[in-house]
Amino acid sequence: MSYFINQKIGKYIYVYEVESYWDPLKKQPRQKRRYVGKKDAATGEVITPRKGFVPRSAQDFGHIYLLRHIAQRIGLIEVIQKSFPELTRELLALSMYQVLEAKPLYLCKPWAEVTYLKDPIELSSQRISRIVEELGKVQEVREKFFAEWTHMQKGIRAIIFDITSLSSYSTLLEYLEWGYNRDGEKLPQVNLGLIVGEPRGLPLAYRVYPGSIADVSTLKNIIVLLEYLGVKEFTFILDRGFYSAANIQEMGREKIQFVMPLSFSTALASRLISKHRAALQSPLQGFYYKGRPMFHVKEEVQINDTAVHAHVFHDERRKADEMEHLMRRIVDIEALVQGKEFRRAEDVQAYMEQVFPRSVHLFDLTREEEGFRLIRKAKAISRLMNRMRKTILITNNPALEREELLNLYRRKDVLEKMFETIKNELEGGRLKISSREAMEGRLFLTYLSLILYSELSRVMKEKDLYRSYTVSEVLFELKKLRAVTLNNGKVYLTELSKKQRMLFENFEVPIPVRT
């Protein structure tokens, strides 16, 4: 049986409903109270609390508010709406989820429940699987998206293109093949080629290749794709894997300017280093680049009747660091081999490749009574030292000066960081798929997420935020700003901290005052 009591606190009288019950643990009667309301002193009426002002839920808000504004500002939402009008909300939510959480897609539903998405979205594991499959089946729509998105990127002056490997345990995907794995994994793979536009540094499009396809053979079709995307009058920035006489002739025929490093395995590279060894130590060839002393020599050369300009750079300070590192590794590998027992020379070489990759050609191997011993090859080590901190860049643009050439080539670091982001930040390093459609759909979602992540990173670099934060730390700080929904449906935000205000201002996003 329950009854009511009045309790005066200060000048107010509060009414509680009291219910008695028997506590079997303490073996004694106890009471529990339920607050009923406040009694009006004049009329004696009990005023119940306004249920509409009771919080119904509190959800993470600040980080997704930032991403939504960035997606709007760079035009990503507009292009998604044009290409996928019926999936716009789902694709935006899934791409933001990958940036914010970097977890498998099947965990998106519990994330959506604690994140303020304004309108509820069905993101069950089954629904996401259907979306991924649907994305993978509509190649023509994905191509339309690439074209619309590239058209929105005004003022493209350079194109960076490179390829990375994505491994998988799947046995059901025909694109998975054995090939050169850039991460050293002993698994079948697909190759992902990514096109990035400069100066914004945002992904434009991508291509998927069977795992056995070599980088050098992909360039001709990429030139065709760029023509379809409407990209004209640009400079191609490529890595050494794309070097071939045929590719250089193709770019010359298409009147495409390019910058790429010359592989040290070529006879031309050996000749240039040998010819200019003295000049690369002459004070007459010295200059400063971003606070570092460097040396530079330029020579016009012919590659299969195509004239290009070879720029040879040497960084003496970094050479000293690399020589110290090399000698330490040489001494270490000698001691390790001498301290172990091996049955065959092949076992020694396999161990050396594991501990010190590509070191086998630096030593002769002899067998003695105590075991195997390494003998240094003077010429091989000297050749390696001579190449240290030397870079040979070739270009068909005679107007490029040394500083501008280095600036252009070092922009490829943007793409290398994108590959790291795909594998480490967006949960895309190991493909967990069972069909080509699922693979294509999954990679398209990763591509959308990479656009958002790249813009985040670009602004952080521009505003010098990397001195104090990582991308994850920025998002975690903003995540603390929450949206509280009341029973009456109204929403308010928790207090905005100084750090959160500073971050929104740096990203030039309006300070949120209400949702």
Side-chain angles (χ1 to χ4, degrees):
M1 180 180 293
S2 63
Y3 58 94
F4 296 91
I5 64 169
N6 298 331
Q7 183 174 354
K8 187 172 183 180
I9 302 176
K11 60 180 181 178
Y12 297 109
I13 298 174
Y14 298 93
V15 180
Y16 295 89
E17 182 181 11
V18 181
E19 184 176 357
S20 299
Y21 69 97
W22 178 260
D23 188 334
L25 294 177
K26 295 192 175 183
K27 301 185 183 304
Q28 62 183 24
R30 296 179 65 83
Q31 295 179 340
K32 57 183 178 182
R33 290 186 174 192
R34 182 181 66 84
Y35 176 63
V36 177
K38 187 191 300 183
K39 180 178 284 189
D40 188 304
T43 64
E45 180 185 359
V46 177
I47 304 169
T48 58
R50 297 173 64 184
K51 293 183 179 180
F53 287 90
V54 176
R56 185 173 67 204
S57 66
Q59 296 170 300
D60 302 332
F61 173 80
H63 56 352
I64 204 159
Y65 173 83
L66 172 69
L67 288 186
R68 190 182 290 116
H69 270 270
I70 287 176
Q72 188 75 48
R73 185 172 65 204
I74 64 177
L76 183 60
I77 294 178
E78 179 184 340
V79 181
I80 293 176
Q81 286 173 334
K82 283 184 179 180
S83 303
F84 302 95
E86 297 180 358
L87 289 175
T88 299
R89 292 166 59 242
E90 289 84 351
L91 295 185
L92 185 61
L94 288 170
S95 58
M96 291 192 295
Y97 164 73
Q98 290 189 127
V99 173
L100 296 173
E101 297 294 315
K103 292 179 180 178
L105 289 178
Y106 70 83
L107 294 175
C108 187
K109 183 179 180 180
W111 167 81
E113 291 171 353
V114 298
T115 304
Y116 187 78
L117 297 175
K118 280 195 175 180
D119 301 315
I121 306 175
E122 169 56 33
L123 291 175
S124 65
S125 179
Q126 295 81 359
R127 172 65 175 148
I128 293 172
S129 295
R130 289 196 297 270
I131 291 172
V132 169
E133 290 280 350
E134 186 176 341
L135 287 174
K137 292 176 181 177
V138 289
Q139 180 178 353
E140 68 284 356
V141 182
R142 298 197 307 271
E143 296 296 314
K144 174 187 173 185
F145 181 96
F146 295 152
E148 292 278 357
W149 174 245
T150 302
H151 179 72
M152 187 167 282
Q153 311 308 308
K154 305 298 183 184
I156 294 175
R157 298 197 298 270
I159 291 292
I160 311 171
F161 177 67
D162 204 355
I163 291 177
T164 192
S165 308
L166 301 176
S167 304
S168 177
Y169 288 108
S170 175
T171 58
L172 303 175
L173 184 62
E174 69 274 14
Y175 259 44
L176 284 172
E177 295 180 353
W178 294 95
Y180 169 65
N181 192 291
R182 293 148 184 84
D183 301 318
E185 295 187 318
K186 295 181 179 179
L187 287 171
Q189 65 192 32
V190 296
N191 290 335
L192 175 67
L194 191 61
I195 302 170
V196 173
E198 286 292 330
R200 290 295 298 276
L202 296 179
L204 302 180
Y206 65 87
R207 280 291 182 262
V208 183
Y209 307 101
S212 63
I213 297 295
D215 295 1
V216 70
S217 63
T218 62
L219 196 60
K220 188 171 184 178
N221 286 337
I222 290 299
I223 292 173
V224 174
L225 173 60
L226 289 169
E227 183 179 354
Y228 162 75
L229 296 176
V231 183
K232 300 176 181 178
E233 297 182 1
F234 62 91
T235 299
F236 235 144
I237 305 173
L238 301 164
D239 209 347
R240 58 174 45 88
F242 296 95
Y243 172 80
S244 74
N247 280 341
I248 289 173
Q249 287 177 328
E250 179 71 20
M251 287 186 284
R253 188 162 45 246
E254 297 292 333
K255 295 182 171 53
I256 295 173
Q257 295 181 347
F258 66 85
V259 172
M260 74 167 70
L262 184 64
S263 173
F264 286 116
S265 63
T266 62
L268 176 58
S270 298
R271 182 183 70 77
L272 287 169
I273 290 175
S274 177
K275 178 180 178 180
H276 298 295
R277 183 176 292 118
L280 289 172
Q281 295 179 345
S282 168
L284 299 178
Q285 305 302 131
F287 72 106
Y288 262 81
Y289 178 74
K290 296 189 175 181
R292 299 183 70 89
M294 297 186 71
F295 298 87
H296 167 259
V297 174
K298 177 181 177 181
E299 180 182 333
E300 184 175 333
V301 297
Q302 296 286 323
I303 299 177
N304 275 22
D305 300 326
T306 302
V308 299
H309 297 269
H311 295 255
V312 188
F313 296 91
H314 175 66
D315 186 336
E316 187 67 32
R317 188 187 302 174
R318 293 191 68 176
K319 177 183 178 180
D321 295 339
E322 289 192 2
M323 285 185 65
E324 180 183 354
H325 179 72
L326 173 65
M327 293 311 302
R328 188 182 302 116
R329 296 297 301 274
I330 286 175
V331 171
D332 287 346
I333 193 69
E334 288 172 339
L336 287 169
V337 169
Q338 193 168 2
K340 286 185 173 291
E341 293 184 5
F342 298 94
R343 298 179 63 182
R344 302 175 305 161
E346 291 81 358
D347 298 334
V348 181
Q349 292 170 342
Y351 176 75
M352 291 172 65
E353 190 62 28
Q354 180 182 0
V355 176
F356 185 2
R358 297 181 296 279
S359 63
V360 172
H361 73 283
L362 301 179
F363 299 92
D364 283 321
L365 188 61
T366 63
R367 186 161 198 162
E368 300 178 348
E369 290 185 8
E370 299 82 7
F372 287 96
R373 185 165 70 91
L374 299 181
I375 300 175
R376 300 177 191 178
K377 291 182 178 179
K379 288 186 178 180
I381 295 174
S382 295
R383 280 196 299 269
L384 182 59
M385 287 181 171
N386 287 335
R387 295 201 303 260
M388 282 183 174
R389 294 328 303 165
K390 288 183 176 65
T391 303
I392 304 175
L393 299 179
I394 57 175
T395 178
N396 56 354
N397 183 355
L400 281 178
E401 298 295 336
R402 58 196 181 191
E403 288 87 354
E404 186 180 2
L405 185 66
L406 283 173
N407 286 338
L408 273 174
Y409 177 64
R410 292 192 175 184
R411 291 301 296 164
K412 75 178 182 63
D413 293 344
V414 171
L415 187 47
E416 291 175 1
K417 289 176 182 175
M418 285 185 186
F419 288 148
E420 291 178 11
T421 298
I422 289 172
K423 297 176 182 181
N424 301 323
E425 303 294 336
L426 300 179
E427 221 270 323
R430 188 67 55 78
L431 291 174
K432 304 176 181 67
I433 35 79
S434 57
S435 68
R436 179 171 178 178
E437 289 77 15
M439 176 194 71
E440 293 282 7
R442 186 69 179 82
L443 288 176
F444 187 77
L445 282 177
T446 300
Y447 158 77
L448 294 180
S449 302
L450 188 61
I451 292 173
L452 281 175
Y453 193 99
S454 299
E455 179 64 9
L456 268 175
S457 182
R458 185 193 69 80
V459 175
M460 287 186 64
K461 187 174 182 180
E462 183 181 288
K463 300 291 185 177
D464 206 22
L465 290 174
Y466 274 118
R467 284 182 176 271
S468 305
Y469 300 93
T470 63
V471 171
S472 297
E473 287 170 341
V474 166
L475 297 174
F476 182 78
E477 181 63 37
L478 295 178
K479 181 181 179 180
K480 299 175 187 176
L481 180 63
R482 311 194 80 198
V484 180
T485 303
L486 302 175
N487 276 335
N488 61 8
K490 292 186 177 180
V491 180
Y492 71 89
L493 301 180
T494 56
E495 289 72 21
L496 188 73
S497 70
K498 289 183 179 179
K499 281 186 180 180
Q500 291 164 350
R501 179 179 293 274
M502 178 273 294
L503 290 172
F504 283 130
E505 288 173 349
N506 272 279
F507 281 98
E508 298 180 7
V509 168
I511 301 298
V513 291
R514 62 179 181 273
T515 58

